[in-house]
Amino acid sequence: MTEFTVLNPATEEPVTTVAQASAARAMASSACSAEAWPAWRAVAPGDRARMLRDFAAAVDSASEELAGLEVAGSGHPIGAARWEAGQVRDVLLYYSAAPERLSGRQIPVSGGLNVTFHEPVGVVGLIVPWNFPMPILSWGMAPALAAGCTVVAKPAEATPLTAMRIGSLALEAGLPPGVFTVLPGKGSVVGQRLVDHPLVRKIVFTGSTEVGRSIMADCARQVKRLTLELGGKSANIIFADADLERAAATAPYAVFDNAGQDCCARSRILVQSSVIDRFMALLEPAVTTVTVGDPASAATEMGPLISAAHRAHVASFVPDGAPVAFRGHAPAGPGFWYPPTVLAPVRPDDPAYTEEVFGPVVTVTPFEDEAEAVAIANDTPYGLSGSIWTSNVGRAIRVARAVESGNLSVNSHSSVRYWTPFGGFKQSGLGRELGPDAPDAFTETKNVFIATEE
Ligand code: NDP
């Protein structure tokens, strides 16, 4: 049996070892999930709703334990980890209302009656990355279960602990065995088997664009349903008429949240050139005062990166001689620390400006007018997130419509909200998660004509 040692990213010390599921186990668990499906889809909607509420209550009562696991195993600051555990509860509660609202339509036809049904697709394979192990798990798990699907979830190899605990909480809360299964293991072993297994009818994947592209090709062979949440290189666009103080004060949280390991990170700040000097003067204290340190401390705003390898990857975007305008602090000694870093001015072909860094590195670039701001924002293969700062309502709406991105905020650094649709344009993904329609993505629409004529 292969084991994986989970390291504490803040100390580099082992937290625990986890037995990795084999390819055979991934195949067997997919088959068990398929066996559990007919009974789960047959549960009366009100009963399925109650079971999801019980699951949410179990998560709520274990929220401190879950937060502690995320601090130790992923290096998330305790405040963020508590919020993330609360998000699992809230997402389960939000979608617990869905089973009783999965109503079809009645369509007028001649000679009879036509009705539609939302039929669950079957087994869903849910492949989760390491950056937000709890929220991303819940965004796929909760609407899929609500729609009447069973779920086999594969957490990232590096961060399996909270998903495993949530899997056991599902059983403690009364979900029947096989309805929600968590399989820790390697992507190339467990994840790939979920993609390949013919009884897994839909894949929900969040992670790198490269792996997403290969999963999409594999799903195509079976015409398997697929949702992809991939990378981003989002812009934070600041016009001269904006509240510059607020824009500068919140810019660090739009990019350094989760140490920048966030697909929605607004890692390109675009500032109208007439106010760029003033903006930089305001941004510097906002960046240098970000509290980076012990994730267990309630005062900590930013923790370490996930691993030594990932830190080396992030550091490669800031080689010797890089145009560092200013940077914040990071602890010395053990731990995969990297300080918040602001690069300016950057060349248009600088990889820190063109590629997803997935770390606490942000570039600042000037623009002259609205048209140039939109052109720069769209000059990327990605289109996931973005923010627009202006006091001109018309401009806010024009720019929001023109930026090719799935999730935008105006005069706010707000990012994902589970009650609104989330997903990307271009190479940032395919399909939408979250929001009121998410359970529909786990169903097929069936139409039935019923003749009424004798
Ligand atoms: P990956 O895309 O490699 O991993 C994401 C998930 O997919 C993990 O659970 C992984 O398992 C699994 N996986 C990997 N290969 C396969 C496969 N062949 N079949 C099925 N599942 C697979 O992302 P990384 O963790 O390697 O991160 C690399 C980069 O991707 C980051 O630096 C960042 O740029 C981007 N990224 C974007 C995320 C987002 O939220 N949009 C999230 C994570 C990463 P395992 O952990 O075992 O490899």
Side-chain angles (χ1 to χ4, degrees):
M1 190 204 329
T2 321
E3 290 195 325
F4 181 85
T5 301
V6 177
L7 290 185
N8 183 327
T11 63
E12 305 183 34
E13 283 169 6
V15 178
T16 185
T17 54
V18 172
Q20 303 282 68
S22 63
R25 171 124 185 265
M27 296 299 274
S29 294
S30 301
C32 283
S33 191
E35 273 172 37
W37 177 49
W40 179 243
R41 73 180 295 196
V43 171
D47 291 337
R48 200 153 67 226
R50 182 184 44 73
M51 289 162 108
L52 292 178
R53 288 196 296 273
D54 290 348
F55 187 6
V59 168
D60 189 46
S61 38
S63 58
E64 231 9 67
E65 178 195 352
L66 288 167
L69 286 173
E70 213 66 289
V71 171
S74 309
H76 289 201
I78 181 69
R82 286 186 176 126
W83 179 88
E84 289 159 11
Q87 165 122 138
V88 179
R89 173 203 58 219
D90 292 346
V91 170
L92 278 165
L93 284 175
Y94 181 73
Y95 289 110
S96 72
E100 293 170 292
R101 288 165 175 72
L102 276 174
S103 49
R105 304 180 67 186
Q106 180 266 311
I107 299 170
V109 287
S110 69
L113 172 70
N114 209 108
V115 289
T116 66
F117 296 89
H118 291 283
E119 304 288 13
V121 293
V123 180
V124 172
L126 175 54
I127 301 173
V128 179
W130 47 261
N131 60 333
F132 288 108
M134 284 196 275
I136 294 176
L137 178 82
S138 71
W139 301 348
M141 165 189 88
L145 293 173
C149 295
T150 53
V151 176
V152 182
K154 193 211 89 68
E157 187 179 25
T159 58
L161 301 182
T162 44
M164 290 167 68
R165 182 66 185 115
I166 290 167
S168 63
L169 287 166
L171 290 172
E172 287 168 26
L175 258 69
V179 167
F180 177 57
T181 309
V182 177
L183 282 185
K186 271 188 177 305
S188 56
V189 177
V190 177
Q192 190 65 49
R193 293 312 175 287
L194 296 181
V195 172
D196 293 341
H197 200 295
L199 291 177
V200 176
R201 295 277 167 73
K202 173 161 182 162
I203 292 291
V204 177
F205 171 82
T206 305
S208 62
T209 300
E210 189 189 350
V211 173
R213 197 179 284 124
S214 113
I215 287 178
M216 189 175 176
D218 290 341
C219 284
R221 276 187 270 284
Q222 296 177 45
V223 196
K224 189 170 289 195
R225 276 69 181 141
L226 175 69
T227 301
L228 296 175
E229 297 291 357
L230 308 175
K233 190 67 186 172
S234 300
N236 190 358
I237 308 171
I238 293 145
F239 286 94
D241 63 2
D243 179 341
L244 292 184
E245 279 74 15
R246 267 187 66 213
T250 58
Y253 303 100
V255 59
F256 302 142
D257 184 38
N258 203 27
Q261 303 167 125
D262 179 354
C263 50
C264 289
R266 269 116 316 154
S267 55
R268 292 183 299 153
I269 301 179
L270 313 182
V271 188
Q272 198 150 21
S273 51
S274 57
V275 294
I276 195 162
D277 291 343
R278 169 90 183 119
F279 179 80
M280 291 299 269
L282 292 165
L283 184 64
E284 182 164 2
V287 168
T288 53
T289 55
V290 172
T291 315
V292 184
D294 179 7
S297 159
T300 294
E301 294 177 301
M302 194 183 112
L305 294 170
I306 189 68
S307 64
H310 189 56
R311 179 173 58 184
H313 173 70
V314 170
S316 73
F317 288 96
V318 192
D320 287 346
V324 175
F326 41 84
R327 61 197 329 177
H329 308 280
F336 309 124
W337 304 102
Y338 198 83
T341 301
V342 178
L343 301 179
V346 280
R347 292 192 330 269
D349 61 347
D350 187 328
Y353 176 72
T354 58
E355 293 177 24
E356 181 172 46
V357 176
F358 227 58
V361 177
V362 67
T363 60
V364 184
T365 300
F367 66 84
E368 291 307 318
D369 56 20
E370 189 178 313
E372 193 186 13
V374 170
I376 297 175
N378 286 339
D379 186 20
T380 164
Y382 297 114
L384 191 56
S385 179
S387 294
I388 300 152
W389 291 81
T390 176
S391 56
N392 179 327
V393 175
R395 172 182 289 138
I397 294 170
R398 277 195 309 276
V399 174
R401 296 296 305 273
V403 172
E404 296 172 328
S405 170
N407 314 278
L408 291 157
S409 57
V410 173
N411 295 332
S412 161
H413 69 291
S414 156
S415 186
V416 188
R417 294 167 305 276
Y418 62 78
W419 54 94
T420 56
F422 174 67
F425 280 35
K426 302 192 281 186
Q427 292 184 27
S428 284
L430 198 66
R432 291 291 177 271
E433 296 188 277
L434 301 176
D437 300 329
D440 290 347
F442 294 95
T443 66
E444 297 283 18
T445 300
K446 176 184 287 172
N447 96 75
V448 178
F449 171 71
I450 305 155
T452 52
E453 289 173 350
E454 295 284 331

